[in-house]
Structure formats: C-alpha cells, structure tokens
C-alpha cells in the first residue's frame, strides 16, 4: 500500500485526496479536503469542515469529481499522515478504487501546484518555487493540527494548544517588546479558553521573564508542579540555569525537554540541541558541542545561527585537532543546502 507503483502520465491515472488548513475568525482552524487530479493538479471538488468529514461527505466529493472527469481513477493517493484515513479507506472500498498512501514529502510534488495557488488566494502571499528560510522555519514552528501537541499532553495539537496558539504568540511578542499589560491581556484570554494548563503557566513564566524574575520563577514552579515533564518549562529552566552558570543543572533540564518533546516538534528540538551545544561550549567540551549542534542543524537546516556556530567554533577553529574539525558527508549535505 505504501509504494507508488502506478504511472501518472495522464489525467485520471490517480486522484489525490489532500487536506489544507485555513484559519477563519468565526470557526478557528478549518479543514479543506480537496480531490485533485494527480497529473494536472486540477481540483475536482472540496469539502470544508471544522471537524473531519464523514464518509457520506467524502463520497459526495468523489461523485462530483466523477461527474466532471467521466472516469474513475486507477488509484486514490493520500498522505500516510492524513487524519481521516479510516473514513477515506471505507469510501475507497465502497467505490472499489485502490488507495495508496505516501509519506507527506512524497506527495508534495503532486499537490504543490494546487497548494501554492490556494495559499496565494487565501493570504494574498506570493508563492515561491523553494520555501525561504522564514517559511521553512514557520512550517517547523507551527505544528500540523493532527500532530502531537508540543506541550507533550499526549493530545493532538488541534484538541490541545491550537485554540490558544494566536493568543500565546501575541503574548510572547508583546512581552518581548516590553508591553506587559498587553502580554497579560493575551495570556488571560488564553487562560479563559483552556484554563491554567502547564503550557499556559509556562507562557506566563516566559512573559514575566522580561519583567520580574521572581514571578517568572513562581510560574515555572507551578508549571512543573502541574507537569514535571512539561518540555518548554524544562527548556526555560535550562536557560536560567545556564545563565547562572549551573551547567549540570542546565543539561538536566535540557535533556528532560528533549525526552518529552514529541519527535514532530523539529523547531523546539532544534532549539534545545542548540542550547545544549552552547552549554558544552561553555564547558569547553567541543566534541559534545559539535554533536549537539549537528543534531540541531539536521532538525532545522535553515537555522543560520547553528550553522555559524558550527563553522566558526568547530569546523574552522584552528585550535581544534583535525579529527574534531572534520565534517561528515552526512552533515555536509545539510550545510550545503544553502
Ligand atoms: Zn498542548
């Protein structure tokens, strides 16, 4: 089921069932499921819903497509990570069409022509052939709705911290800009929506870190009381410990963050490895610093800071022995991507 062994050389060889996500002020995040021709990326039809569509709704889109294409495809292709696979398989079984599942990155080339037009229509943003560093970072930073939440609650992002994503992001920006009242207003809005969850308590701590160290410590403590494994709180405790030169303690916090961030959280994991590298650098253990920074680079190749750290302090550092300065072929691929 996983390997694409059908040839896509003309319309209707295969159709793609694909999900886009849009943010609307009335409904919050909304799924748009579309049916595309794999050869032309022509969109046959769509179903939009806040929840996942039902089998009846999926069948209706297929029937609409059939009325336009006048043929059934040889296969339907969907992402292995599609949250709606069960319903989609049932619909395909009913229509007697084979369903092929591909990793999301293999599906990209088929859906990109549609997606870029779609995003342009929604946001007015210009689409580019290759994503810029900012876009790559943004993509890694905002989790997919159906990925495990970055707060490690075990719930999917959509059913956990996504409803307060905007409030938290605005609160962080306001706090960074020195606007305490505004930051607190956004935090209270977030808290009103989901309660004083470990993530909310941790974000209060981050806001206060710009204004009042004691309040920051108090909120960090409360977040860890609520969940000792909360990855972001462990991360910020690591930052504090490192600033106070308590390096072992910092590494302990950072390792706990690493253990608890879901594997999908590339942006956050990159941040932790980056900081671990810096602690080892402070400790003058450059072998461990190199290993940590290289992990950070692999997680987020667009990260300019980690790239510069590696080049300046490791690969081109004349004080290091040759074997430590060596760049493995695997890492070289990531360095040469830019
Ligand atoms: Zn969460």
């Amino acid at each position: 089921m996983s390997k694409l062994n059908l040839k896509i050389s003309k319309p209707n060889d295969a159709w793609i069932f694909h999900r886009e996500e849009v943010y609307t002020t009335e409904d919050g995040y909304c799924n748009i499921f579309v049916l595309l021709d794999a050869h032309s990326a022509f969109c046959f039809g769509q179903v939009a819903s806040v929840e996942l569509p039902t089998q009846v709704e999926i069948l209706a889109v297929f029937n609409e497509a059939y009325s336009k294409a006048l043929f059934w495809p040889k296969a339907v292709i969907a992402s292995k990570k599609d949250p709606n696979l069960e319903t989609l398989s049932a619909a395909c079984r009913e229509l007697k069409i084979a369903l092929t599942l591909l990793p999301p990155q293999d599906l990209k080339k088929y859906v990109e022509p549609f997606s870029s037009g779609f995003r342009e229509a929604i946001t007015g943003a210009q689409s580019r052939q290759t994503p810029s560093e900012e876009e790559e970072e943004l993509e890694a930073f905002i989790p997919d709705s159906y990925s495990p939440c970055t707060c490690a609650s075990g719930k999917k992002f959509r059913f956990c911290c996504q409803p307060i994503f905007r409030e938290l992001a605005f609160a962080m920006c306001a706090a960074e800009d020195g606007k305490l009242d505004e930051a607190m207003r956004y935090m209270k809005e977030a808290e009103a929506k989901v309660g004083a969850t470990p993530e909310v308590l941790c974000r209060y701590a981050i806001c206060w870190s710009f204004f009042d160290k004691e309040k920051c410590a108090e909120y960090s403590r409360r977040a860890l009381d609520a969940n000792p494994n909360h990855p972001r709180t462990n991360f910020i405790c690591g930052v504090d410990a490192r600033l106070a030169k308590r390096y072992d303690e910092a590494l302990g916090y950072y390792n706990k963050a690493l253990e608890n961030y879901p594997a999908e959280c590339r942006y956050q994991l990159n941040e932790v490895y980056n900081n671990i590298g810096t602690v080892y650098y402070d400790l003058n253990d450059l072998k461990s610093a190199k290993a940590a920074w290289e992990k950070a680079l692999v997680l987020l190749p667009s990260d300019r800071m980690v790239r510069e750290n590696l080049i300046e302090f490791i690969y081109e550092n004349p004080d290091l022995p040759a074997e430590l300065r060596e760049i493995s072929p695997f890492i070289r691929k990531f360095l040469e991507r830019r």
Side-chain angles (χ1 to χ4, degrees):
M1 261 233 306
S2 64
K3 196 139 176 67
L4 187 64
N5 42 22
L6 67 134
K7 226 173 78 190
I8 298 171
S9 54
K10 56 184 190 309
N12 294 317
D13 277 345
W15 291 353
I16 293 172
F17 190 73
H18 166 68
R19 181 173 67 93
E20 290 281 344
E21 199 164 75
V22 289
Y23 186 84
T24 65
T25 39
E26 315 90 74
D27 296 324
Y29 284 91
C30 193
N31 290 308
I32 313 270
F33 283 90
V34 293
L35 200 54
L36 306 174
D37 179 52
H39 179 69
S40 60
F42 175 77
C43 177
F44 289 121
Q46 64 180 54
V47 45
S49 59
V50 177
E51 301 307 325
L52 296 176
T54 63
Q55 196 178 328
V56 173
E57 287 173 311
I58 291 180
L59 284 171
V61 186
F62 274 93
N63 283 316
E64 189 189 332
Y66 177 71
S67 73
K68 288 176 187 163
L70 307 173
F71 292 97
W72 289 111
K74 290 177 200 143
V76 168
I77 307 172
S79 161
K80 267 184 181 169
K81 295 234 164 139
D82 194 294
N84 217 19
L85 282 184
E86 227 168 277
T87 323
L88 177 64
S89 327
C92 288
R93 268 199 306 279
E94 190 163 328
L95 295 168
K96 299 192 171 59
I97 305 173
L99 176 63
T100 300
L101 300 180
L102 293 182
Q105 63 271 27
D106 292 357
L107 210 60
K108 239 181 177 165
K109 64 175 174 197
Y110 299 112
V111 301
E112 193 46 40
F114 170 80
S115 288
S116 55
F118 180 84
R119 277 197 299 271
E120 222 168 293
I122 296 277
T123 62
Q126 287 282 322
S127 69
R128 260 171 254 121
Q129 284 299 20
T130 48
S132 68
E133 287 180 14
E134 290 80 16
E135 281 168 326
E136 186 174 298
E137 268 184 33
L138 203 65
E139 208 184 289
F141 179 62
I142 304 178
D144 183 84
S145 291
Y146 295 93
S147 289
C149 192
T150 51
C151 79
S153 62
K155 292 186 217 163
K156 303 234 184 290
F157 181 51
R158 185 181 181 88
F159 305 111
C160 190
C161 295
Q162 193 181 57
I164 53 168
F165 184 79
R166 282 161 64 93
E167 287 81 358
L168 295 183
F170 288 145
M172 298 302 105
C173 288
E176 244 184 289
D177 287 348
K179 299 172 186 157
L180 177 62
D181 290 350
E182 194 183 319
M184 287 301 128
R185 204 166 57 242
Y186 283 120
M187 284 310 305
K188 293 217 168 79
E189 280 176 33
E191 189 178 349
K193 278 190 179 174
V194 299
T197 61
E199 184 68 22
V200 167
L201 293 168
C202 171
R203 298 303 187 113
Y204 270 118
I206 297 174
C207 287
W208 279 113
S209 72
F210 296 97
F211 306 97
D212 182 333
K213 292 287 168 200
E214 251 164 55
K215 277 221 171 244
C216 168
E218 178 197 322
Y219 275 103
S220 298
R221 240 185 345 262
R222 284 179 61 192
L224 288 181
D225 283 346
N227 178 9
N229 294 327
H230 185 259
R232 199 187 307 273
T233 309
N234 277 288
F235 175 74
I236 62 167
C237 289
V239 172
D240 267 357
R242 188 232 154 191
L243 285 175
K245 298 191 183 341
R246 298 192 306 266
Y247 296 120
D248 284 346
E249 193 184 325
L251 287 174
Y253 281 123
Y254 286 146
N255 282 319
K256 195 139 201 186
L258 283 186
E259 284 161 27
N260 290 287
Y261 270 126
E264 285 85 348
C265 303
R266 285 192 299 134
Y267 185 92
Q268 289 77 8
L269 288 166
N270 153 278
E271 215 173 16
V272 185
Y273 275 118
N274 220 334
N275 285 28
I276 289 179
T278 309
V279 172
Y280 281 122
Y281 179 79
D282 292 338
L283 291 169
N284 207 23
D285 177 354
L286 293 183
K287 192 171 174 216
S288 303
K290 178 186 180 187
W293 281 334
E294 287 182 340
K295 282 182 184 137
L297 179 75
V298 171
L299 282 158
L300 196 63
S302 60
D303 184 342
R304 206 174 303 177
M305 195 160 58
V306 76
R307 173 185 304 269
E308 281 166 12
N309 282 347
L310 276 168
I311 292 172
E312 184 180 345
F313 299 123
I314 309 288
Y315 305 139
E316 293 179 7
N317 183 348
D319 301 332
L320 294 188
E323 77 264 19
L324 202 52
R325 297 172 54 188
E326 202 177 2
I327 309 174
S328 75
F330 175 73
I331 293 299
R332 193 173 287 281
K333 274 196 313 206
F334 290 93
L335 277 178
E336 283 169 359
R337 270 192 46 183
R338 300 284 157 188

